[in-house]
Structures are given as C-alpha cells and as structure tokens.
Amino acid sequence: MASVAVNGLKLGTTSQAYLEGKAVSDTKVLISDLCRQFYNLGWVSGTGGSITIKVHDDSIPKPEQLVVMSPSGVQKERMVPEDMYVLSPNGSVLCTPSPKPYPHKPPKCSDCGPLFMKITHMEMIKGIKGHGYYDELVVPIIENTAYEYELTESLAKAIEAYPKTTAVLVRNHGIYIWGDSWINAKTQAECYHYLFEAAIKLHQLGLDPTTPNHGPIKQNVKGVSGSGICRNISVNAGTAASDNKFEPSRRCIVLDIEGTTTPISFVTDVLFPYARDNVGRHLSATYDTEETQDDIKLLRFQVQEDLEKGVAGAVPIPSDDAGKEEVVQALVANVDSMIKADRKITALKQLQGHIWRTGFEKNELTGVVFDDVPEALKKWHDSGIKVYIYSSGSRLAQRLIFGNSNYGDLREYLSGFFDTTVGNKRESSSYAEIVQSVGVDKPSEVLFVTDVFQEAVAAKAAGLGVTVSIRPGNGALPENHGFMTITSFLEI
C-alpha cells in the first residue's frame, strides 16, 4: 500500500496511526471477506467497485472517520485486503493498492462516491416495488440518529436528491423502504424470518405451505429428516448411469461450451471466421481506444513470448512509431495464425470477445445452444443448483453467446463465468481454483460436463464429478475411458 498526501496536506501523527492501525486493517479484511461471500452465495458476481465501509474507531470523531473502498476491475471472489483503497471523509484518496504484475490491469478507484450504493442484476431486487432483475436501484446512505423520528429530515433530503429511489440505507441500522409509508425493513425482515422458518418446517413434514389446507407437497426433496431438522435440502443433480443409479447430489454444475452446450460447428464455422474476417477492421476502427490498446499490449506480450519459443506463425509487431497501418497488419497476421492453430490463450480470446461483441450488437451474430439446454438450465436453476460456464473463450464471449442465443437470454440461469484466466482447461489446478470460487465444501459437490477427454481427466484429478457430453460432431473418446456419458442435459 502506498500512502499519498492529499492536496499537499500531510496527515498528522494521530491520523497516520489511524490510517495504519488495526481498525483500517480489519475493515479491509471485512470487505474482501464480504465480496467473496457475496459471490459464493450467488448474491452478486462481477467486479467489486465501490463497495464501501466506514472505518469505526471510538477514538476518532465520526466526521473524521476514514472510508475503505474496494477497487474497480477485481473479481469479487479474488478480492484481498491489499486491493483496497482508503479514502478521507470527503472522498479524497489517501492510500492506493500497489499494482500487480502485467498482464493484470492497474487498480482503479471507482468514480462512485460512498454516499449511495447502486444495485442491479440481483434476484431479490424484485422484492422492491417497481424493480426487476435488470433494473438499477440507487440507495442513498444517511447517518443514523438516536431516535427513528429524528431521521425524517435526512430521509426527506435523500428522497429529494434521488427522487426515483424506493429505499434509503441508514448506517448501522437498516434499510427503510417506501411503500404507503416508510417501513423499517430491519423489523420487517425479523417478522419474515419466523414465517420462513415455519414454511421450512411445513415443507419438512411433507406439507405445502402455500395452500390453506396444507395439501401434500408435490416435489420430493431428498435429505430432509422426519424429525423436522433440515440436514441437507440440495436437490440431486447426479448423472444417470446405465443401471439407473445416480451419483451423489451436486450443489453446482460447471459446463463447457463448445461441443457441450453449443455445436462445435457454430464455433468453428461461424465465430472463428467472423473474428478472423473482422480483426483488421475492428483494430483500425478502435485503435486509439483504451480497450483496444490493452488488447494490443496483451498481444505484443504473447507474440514476443511466441517468438522466443519459436512458435510457428508468429511475426514481430513493430513499435507504435512505425504507424498504425503497419502495427495492425502485423497484428492481423498473428491473430490469423493463432485462430488457425485454435490456441487457447488469453490474448487471443480477449480480442475475439471484443470483435464478437460488435457482431452481436449489429445482429450479425446469434448464439446457438442445443435444444435441450434451455429446459435443463431452468430445471437446475429452479432446483437451487448453481450453474457456471468454464470455457477457453473469454467471459465476455460467453455472456454474448448465452445472452443473445437462439432461445433468447439464458443468463438468468447462470451464476458465473470462468475462462483461461483461472488456468488451462487441461490442468487440474484450474478446477481446484473454480472449486474455491464457487464456495462448496468439497470438490465432489461440483459436476463438470465437457466433451474433451483431457479436460475430464484434469477435472477428475481435482476431485470433481465428471460427465462427458456426446454431441453431433464431437471427437471420439478413447476406449474404456471410464467416464459417464450423456447425449442430452435432460439426462442429468
């Protein structure tokens, strides 16, 4: 962590001790732990920009207490205390995280101030009137007072500043939700807690809590004891074997794309040619943007490594001084060679994702999934099983395929996306990293579905359950491969 003076003002001895003290350190740990928990519980995925907590220290007056903020661009499940920013009460940055080695992007402090929080793409946001999964809810944050009636003025100011909001967060107290009147959601939640507990007990007894006469519940949930104590309410997501036996229940399913959710022909005959045919146009049109310059930097790094290793097809990329046209020409030659060799490298996949994004935006591309995929995804989602994607394609490309598919937007059934930034798909350490990210107690609670034998071997070595997908156009498996196989997701 590098400390900096703000506007030429040096921190006093007391403030410096506070800045480097246990209270600030504990707050950094708290935010990183919360980010990982938010991800593991499936509440919030993506990066952790502007998650903010005020540093509590009784020896520091409230107006002078510091603020810790998570950085923009770091995935929640990989957040660590050293990634945090420390801000002054007025929002000036006092400490910045040290940059990580290339090719990691430099840390960035979010432009969002710690005066409100924005919520979007959350399942339970629909509980707030007028909001759905894709809507954005802005929640102003105000200071707590000794008595609730004293909050009136602050609540009024918050509503005046954010007229479209339906909720205000009071620090260290709870959320107030606007209906016919302001309701303390903390008290409301305590009431719901008892109702929820009663509903679970009725469910355990085989009764349907949604009907007045408590008729028999239709769905059989395994792992519920007759004593009324819920030991495990996860739904069996095992793979069917030829003798109709099932593997142990799974909490998560991780899916490959090519040859598993999507025909290989779509990738090889549609996506790859589109990227190859449009790489020059894309680089020329976006050459000066920050995103494309980052893509070029990553490609330079990869090509230099390829040249040192003598990789076929690698050609030197001239410096920027040579001019835009020469640089683009060399990049096109390298990308074309990489695509023909079907290389699973981040530099290529990141650029392809950006090119495909343009194709989807122009309706020149539409994602393709097998007919059984939407029904299976919905079934698993409704059963409480978290479904993730792990593909060599970038996470952007994955979202594009499932967000713009021949069956519409399927992303609501997916809990997250993994790409080669977690590691090569044929290395067991990559699957161990995924297990850590999805938050299960043991690897066997994760089922990995792929069409590639080497990937199946790597996942099995990491302790995951594995099923091999048999689809039209997929390569042949070795004899006596030892893995369960399916021809449709509906068999799972």
Side-chain angles (χ1 to χ4, degrees):
M1 242 340 146
S3 300
V4 296
V6 181
N7 298 327
L9 178 65
K10 294 184 178 180
L11 294 170
T13 304
T14 303
S15 297
Q16 188 66 39
Y18 176 34
L19 181 63
E20 299 175 352
K22 185 174 184 298
V24 172
S25 177
D26 288 348
T27 305
K28 294 176 185 176
V29 172
L30 176 59
I31 292 184
S32 62
D33 287 347
L34 285 173
C35 286
R36 182 174 288 273
Q37 286 299 317
F38 289 162
Y39 179 86
N40 290 340
L41 291 169
W43 292 356
V44 190
S45 59
T47 59
S50 198
I51 294 180
T52 309
I53 295 181
K54 202 170 196 179
V55 179
H56 178 72
D57 190 325
D58 290 330
S59 65
I60 305 295
K62 276 191 175 182
E64 299 177 18
Q65 290 180 351
L66 301 179
V67 173
V68 175
M69 179 185 287
S70 61
S72 177
V74 180
Q75 295 301 119
K76 286 185 176 64
E77 68 272 22
R78 293 179 175 82
M79 197 78 66
V80 294
E82 292 75 21
D83 290 329
M84 304 301 155
Y85 284 84
V86 180
L87 283 66
S88 69
N90 66 6
S92 300
V93 176
L94 300 179
C95 280
T96 62
S98 300
K100 297 180 180 179
Y102 185 81
H104 292 282
K105 294 182 179 180
K108 179 183 177 184
C109 189
S110 174
D111 294 330
C112 300
L115 300 178
F116 62 88
M117 61 180 179
K118 292 184 178 180
I119 304 171
T120 185
H121 287 74
M122 286 186 66
E123 176 65 23
M124 294 314 297
I125 199 173
K126 63 188 179 186
I128 297 178
K129 186 176 180 180
H131 290 78
Y133 179 80
Y134 295 105
D135 294 326
E136 181 179 83
L137 170 67
V138 178
V139 182
I141 303 173
I142 63 176
E143 292 292 343
N144 197 6
T145 58
Y147 301 97
E148 288 193 359
Y149 69 84
E150 295 177 345
L151 291 168
T152 304
E153 184 177 352
S154 297
L155 287 171
K157 289 181 179 179
I159 294 303
E160 183 180 354
Y162 302 95
K164 293 184 179 181
T165 190
T166 55
V168 173
L169 174 63
V170 181
R171 294 186 194 272
N172 302 318
H173 185 63
I175 294 179
Y176 281 73
I177 299 177
W178 175 255
D180 295 328
S181 60
W182 283 101
I183 301 171
N184 185 342
K186 178 182 178 183
T187 303
Q188 191 179 44
E190 290 170 354
C191 298
Y192 288 153
H193 169 77
Y194 297 114
L195 292 174
F196 182 69
E197 183 179 11
I200 288 179
K201 288 183 177 179
L202 287 171
H203 197 290
Q204 292 168 351
L205 294 172
L207 303 175
D208 186 352
T210 64
T211 58
N213 60 357
H214 300 305
I217 198 162
K218 293 180 179 180
Q219 185 179 5
N220 179 30
V221 179
K222 299 185 178 183
V224 179
S225 70
S227 63
I229 300 175
C230 180
R231 289 197 304 259
N232 178 12
I233 57 173
S234 63
V235 180
N236 191 305
T239 355
S242 57
D243 58 359
N244 294 322
K245 293 182 180 180
F246 288 83
E247 291 185 355
S249 61
R250 312 289 183 189
R251 291 178 55 192
C252 301
I253 296 177
V254 178
L255 302 172
D256 173 47
I257 293 181
E258 186 179 356
T260 303
T261 67
T262 300
I264 289 178
S265 58
F266 172 70
V267 179
T268 59
D269 299 343
V270 178
L271 289 184
F272 284 177
Y274 186 91
R276 186 176 60 247
D277 295 343
N278 289 277
V279 62
R281 183 178 67 176
H282 172 83
L283 289 173
S284 296
T286 63
Y287 188 83
D288 294 322
T289 65
E290 182 180 351
E291 181 179 81
T292 295
Q293 283 299 311
D294 183 63
D295 290 345
I296 293 173
K297 186 176 181 180
L298 205 58
L299 283 166
R300 284 185 184 277
F301 184 85
Q302 182 64 55
V303 170
Q304 183 59 39
E305 185 178 281
D306 291 347
L307 289 170
E308 293 172 358
K309 293 181 178 179
V311 175
V315 298
I317 301 174
S319 66
D320 292 334
D321 296 337
K324 171 181 170 180
E325 292 185 4
E326 289 194 28
V327 172
V328 170
Q329 185 178 359
L331 289 168
V332 169
N334 280 286
V335 169
D336 184 66
S337 176
M338 292 175 180
I339 292 176
K340 287 180 179 178
D342 191 18
R343 297 192 55 191
K344 314 294 186 181
I345 48 178
T346 302
L348 172 64
K349 298 305 178 180
Q350 179 172 297
L351 176 62
Q352 284 178 320
H354 294 150
I355 296 172
W356 291 331
R357 180 181 60 199
T358 300
F360 280 102
E361 289 174 348
K362 292 182 176 180
N363 294 319
E364 295 174 352
L365 292 173
T366 298
V368 176
V369 297
F370 290 109
D371 294 339
D372 56 276
V373 171
E375 183 180 349
L377 291 179
K378 185 179 187 304
K379 179 183 72 172
W380 297 333
H381 180 270
D382 293 346
S383 298
I385 299 168
K386 293 183 179 181
V387 183
Y388 299 85
I389 302 298
Y390 179 30
S391 171
S392 58
S394 68
R395 292 191 298 182
L396 170 60
Q398 297 171 29
R399 290 186 177 95
L400 290 170
I401 291 173
F402 290 97
N404 306 270
S405 80
N406 51 329
Y407 282 92
D409 192 344
L410 301 175
R411 290 173 299 177
E412 64 179 299
Y413 305 124
L414 302 173
S415 296
F417 303 86
F418 296 98
D419 60 14
T420 52
T421 56
V422 303
N424 190 291
K425 294 187 71 181
R426 301 189 181 194
E427 297 176 0
S428 61
S429 59
S430 305
Y431 300 91
E433 177 70 19
I434 290 175
V435 168
Q436 289 292 322
S437 294
V438 300
V440 295
D441 294 326
K442 46 190 177 182
S444 60
E445 293 177 308
V446 180
L447 175 66
F448 178 56
V449 186
T450 181
D451 67 307
V452 180
F453 174 70
Q454 292 86 347
E455 294 175 6
V457 171
K460 182 179 180 181
L464 284 71
V466 179
T467 292
V468 176
S469 172
I470 307 296
R471 300 286 196 178
N474 287 8
L477 293 171
E479 291 186 13
N480 303 318
H481 55 79
F483 291 104
M484 288 198 175
T485 61
I486 56 167
T487 58
S488 167
F489 281 1
L490 299 180
E491 298 174 38
I492 299 178

